[in-house]
């Protein structure tokens, strides 16, 4: 613990250690729809989430069968960026694919 003197106020100020907590984490989730081709979902998983072909197919099938699947867990800013990238790319290609983020 360090003690510093404030010359102007003649006061003693104690430096307190700040507790730093890790940032909140968010999971990025793809939601199923009846129109987006499975191949497009696999490509999205490989391009934006760096999944290998096998993992991409497994996640795509989970989205298809269960209605949703987690693509990755990130800090808030990274998760927001992933959601925006996926949504923008899907709309540009004419697909209604939905991608959302959820706080863990």
């Amino acid at each position: 613990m360090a003690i510093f003197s404030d010359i102007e106020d003649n006061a003693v100020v104690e430096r307190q250690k700040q507790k730093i907590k890790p940032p909140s984490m968010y999971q990025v989730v793809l939601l199923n729809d009846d129109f987006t081709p499975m191949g497009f979902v696999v490509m999205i998983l490989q391009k934006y989430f760096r999944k290998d072909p096998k993992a991409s197919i497994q996640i795509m099938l989970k989205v298809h069968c269960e209605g949703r699947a987690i693509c990755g867990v990130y800090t808030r800013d990274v998760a927001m960026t992933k959601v925006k990238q996926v949504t923008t790319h899907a709309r540009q290609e004419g697909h209604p694919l939905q991608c959302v983020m959820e706080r863990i």
Side-chain angles (χ1 to χ4, degrees):
M1 178 171 19
I3 298 177
F4 296 96
S5 172
D6 187 344
I7 297 173
E8 292 178 15
D9 294 338
N10 291 329
V12 175
V13 179
E14 255 184 61
R15 179 182 291 178
Q16 297 179 0
K17 285 190 176 182
Q18 293 181 351
K19 293 183 182 179
I20 300 173
K21 57 182 180 177
S24 298
M25 300 301 284
Y26 293 79
Q27 57 190 16
V28 177
V29 181
L30 284 180
L31 305 176
N32 190 39
D33 64 70
D34 293 333
F35 304 101
T36 304
M38 293 179 179
F40 182 77
V41 175
V42 169
M43 182 276 300
I44 288 290
L45 290 163
Q46 291 175 348
K47 182 172 183 171
Y48 295 107
F49 298 97
R50 305 275 186 210
K51 302 295 183 187
D52 61 60
K54 185 177 179 180
S56 297
I57 291 170
Q58 289 174 339
I59 294 169
M60 176 273 298
L61 288 172
K62 186 169 183 169
V63 171
H64 180 70
C65 295
E66 297 179 20
R68 59 186 279 135
I70 298 169
C71 303
V73 176
Y74 308 95
T75 58
R76 181 178 175 271
D77 291 342
V78 174
M80 285 176 57
T81 300
K82 299 275 185 195
V83 168
K84 184 166 179 62
Q85 289 174 327
V86 169
T87 304
T88 300
H89 191 151
R91 296 308 170 273
Q92 287 174 347
E93 297 295 322
H95 302 301
L97 181 65
Q98 291 186 22
C99 185
V100 298
M101 60 187 255
E102 302 170 345
R103 188 173 182 176
I104 298 178

